[in-house]
Structure formats: structure tokens, C-alpha cells
Amino acid sequence: MLTLALSKGRIFDDTLPLLASAGIRVADDPDTSRKLILSTNRPDVRIIIVRASDVPTYVLYGAADVGVAGSDVLLEHDARHGSAGMYRPIDLNIARCRMMVAVHEGFDYEAAVRSGARIRVATKYVDTAREHFAAKGMHVDLIKLYGSMELAPLVGLADAIVDVVSTGGTLKANRLIAVEEVCPVSARLVVNQAALKVKRTEVQALLDAFELAVKAVP
Ligand code: ATP
Ligand code: PRP
């Protein structure tokens, strides 16, 4: 049995066509079903539905053989736990966005950087943000949030946020501006190291199919 960990929403939706090209069709829709283990047309393949930030944990511990996780999630996982135990063989080029530093439009970020001021940064990517600002030689106080980061500068919780940006619509709606890129983000296929050895044939077949499907997208 091959177990694939996906989060519902954009990762699940964008992975479906890749699965289809590997001949795998999912029997349930996670948006309507409360099931957390979804069967597929293949008796030897099942999907488990987990939080996006939990995908690396399931794969690392071998509860899932394979998973799809945003590179933002993987970066944060690695900053905290190191990169051992999981291969990340394919950039799937889905769920693309950019991790950015953003501030309220009235906040002079450049002046704060120049003056060496200590700023407060709210983010769910605490370890990634710490590394980013340390590399710039900036002093920051990090505040961990689990969502709606864009609210923090509006209510005085933080001077800046680190979050992912796609269309820029959320920033704009909240009068925030992106001032710096941390890194580009897209989802990767992650594979449990032991599964690649023990279930080599099944895992390799899935990797090959995904790789072909990704290459076929213009
Ligand atoms: P969690 O539930 O663990 O807090 P989440 O709410 O960030 O995670 P999703 O919103 O489903 O989970 O995002 C999954 C992945 O999709 C993110 O890790 C990121 O790589 C990417 N992503 C997030 N927001 C966007 C966006 N607006 N556009 C494109 N990709 C995005
Ligand atoms: C993500 C992210 C931003 C938003 C950016 O949130 O946390 O808030 O997308 O996208 P945009 O630049 O296109 O506006 P999401 O929509 O996933 O909601 P979430 O807070 O539930 O993760």
C-alpha cells in the first residue's frame, strides 16, 4: 500500500491532475467528505488528508510514503528539524507564490533597516524569518501566529509580517505593501527515505508519472 499525504484546498486540487496522469483517481472529495483516509481507483494507493504544515511530519515518520508540501512549509520544517529523512525530488510547480516581508503602507521599512531599529515581525514562518533577518544583520522580535498575519500590523501587534503572497489582493485589501522577497514558493513532492528503498517500484512509478506530468505543463 502506498500512502500519499495531501492537504485539502489548493494542494489537493492542483495535485489531482498529476495523480490522474499517473492513472490514480480519488474516490472522495475532501471538501464534502469528513473522511481523512480517501481511497482511490487503485487498491494499492490511498490518500490521507492532513494540515499543510503537517505533511512533512507524516512523511518523515513514514505514516505517509509520499506527500505534497509547499516549499514554505519545507523550509520552516528544515530550519527547525533539519533536512534528514525526506527526499524532495520534484518541484511540482503548483501552489506557486512568494514569501515576502510586508508592512503597513505608512511604515518606512527602508528607514528602519538603515537605522538598525529593532522591529516586531509577526509570522507563522518563525524560523525561516529568523534566518532571513539574521542574514541581513537585522534585529527582530518574532511573534508566532497561525494565520491572518495581515491583521498584525493593522492593530499594532507587529511592524511587519512574513507571509506568502500570490495575487497581492490580501495585502492590498489591508493597505499593506510587500517590501522584500524572502524566497519564491512552490509545492514539492516529498518522499520518505525508507519508503524509497522498501517500496522502490511503486514509489519510483509515481515519481516518474509526476515528473512527466509536470514537464508536460507549458
Ligand atoms: P495550515 O493549514 O497548515 O496552516 P495553510 O492554511 O497555509 O496551512 P493552504 O492555504 O492550503 O494551507 O496552503 C498550502 C500551500 O499552498 C502553502 O504551504 C503554500 O505553499 C501555498 N500557498 C499558500 N497561499 C497561497 C496562495 N495564495 N496562492 C498560491 N499558493 C499558496
Ligand atoms: C494565503 C496567505 C495570504 C494569501 C495571499 O492565505 O496566507 O493571506 O493567501 O494570497 P493573495 O496574494 O492572492 O491574496 P489563504 O488564502 O491560503 O488563507 P489561509 O489564511 O486560510 O491560509
Side-chain angles (χ1 to χ4, degrees):
M1 174 66 75
L2 205 60
T3 302
L4 172 66
L6 297 176
S7 53
K8 56 179 178 178
R10 52 176 66 89
I11 296 273
F12 182 86
D13 298 344
D14 292 359
T15 305
L16 276 189
L18 302 175
L19 285 171
S21 61
I24 299 167
R25 286 188 306 280
V26 187
D28 294 288
D29 175 358
D31 282 333
T32 50
S33 164
R34 298 293 297 168
K35 280 190 192 167
L36 297 174
I37 300 180
L38 312 182
S39 47
T40 72
N41 62 317
R42 291 252 309 267
D44 57 332
V45 179
R46 64 179 182 170
I47 312 288
I48 60 171
I49 301 296
V50 306
R51 280 285 292 268
S53 44
D54 288 335
V55 169
T57 306
Y58 279 84
V59 173
L60 185 64
Y61 284 92
D65 303 302
V66 182
V68 175
S71 53
D72 52 335
V73 167
L74 291 169
L75 211 56
E76 188 66 12
H77 171 89
D78 292 354
R80 180 150 294 217
H81 306 285
S83 60
M86 262 187 302
Y87 292 115
R88 307 111 209 272
I90 307 173
D91 182 346
L92 300 175
N93 215 13
I94 58 173
R96 290 181 60 196
C97 49
R98 296 185 299 157
M99 196 186 292
M100 306 288 296
V101 181
V103 296
H104 188 262
E105 58 189 21
F107 183 82
D108 192 342
Y109 179 71
E110 284 311 319
V113 174
R114 271 199 310 275
S115 68
R118 195 175 186 98
I119 65 166
R120 275 204 300 192
V121 180
T123 183
K124 70 175 178 185
Y125 307 105
V126 169
D127 291 299
T128 308
R130 183 177 295 112
E131 287 185 2
H132 173 76
F133 292 111
K136 285 175 59 80
M138 280 177 71
H139 300 289
V140 296
D141 291 318
L142 291 158
I143 299 174
K144 168 83 180 181
L145 289 178
Y146 293 87
S148 301
M149 269 77 81
E150 291 87 354
L151 181 62
L154 308 183
V155 293
L157 179 62
D159 304 305
I161 61 169
V162 170
D163 194 12
V164 294
V165 177
S166 173
T167 61
T170 311
L171 291 184
K172 195 159 178 242
N174 293 291
R175 300 182 63 189
L176 303 179
I177 47 169
V179 288
E180 196 166 272
E181 176 166 307
V182 177
C183 59
V185 170
S186 59
R188 297 196 74 93
L189 197 67
V190 289
V191 182
N192 174 275
Q193 220 155 20
L196 192 55
K197 294 196 184 93
V198 179
K199 304 182 184 179
R200 174 128 214 140
T201 313
E202 302 96 302
V203 171
Q204 195 58 52
L206 191 71
L207 297 194
D208 292 345
F210 269 45
E211 196 150 36
L212 270 180
V214 172
K215 279 194 187 133
V217 177

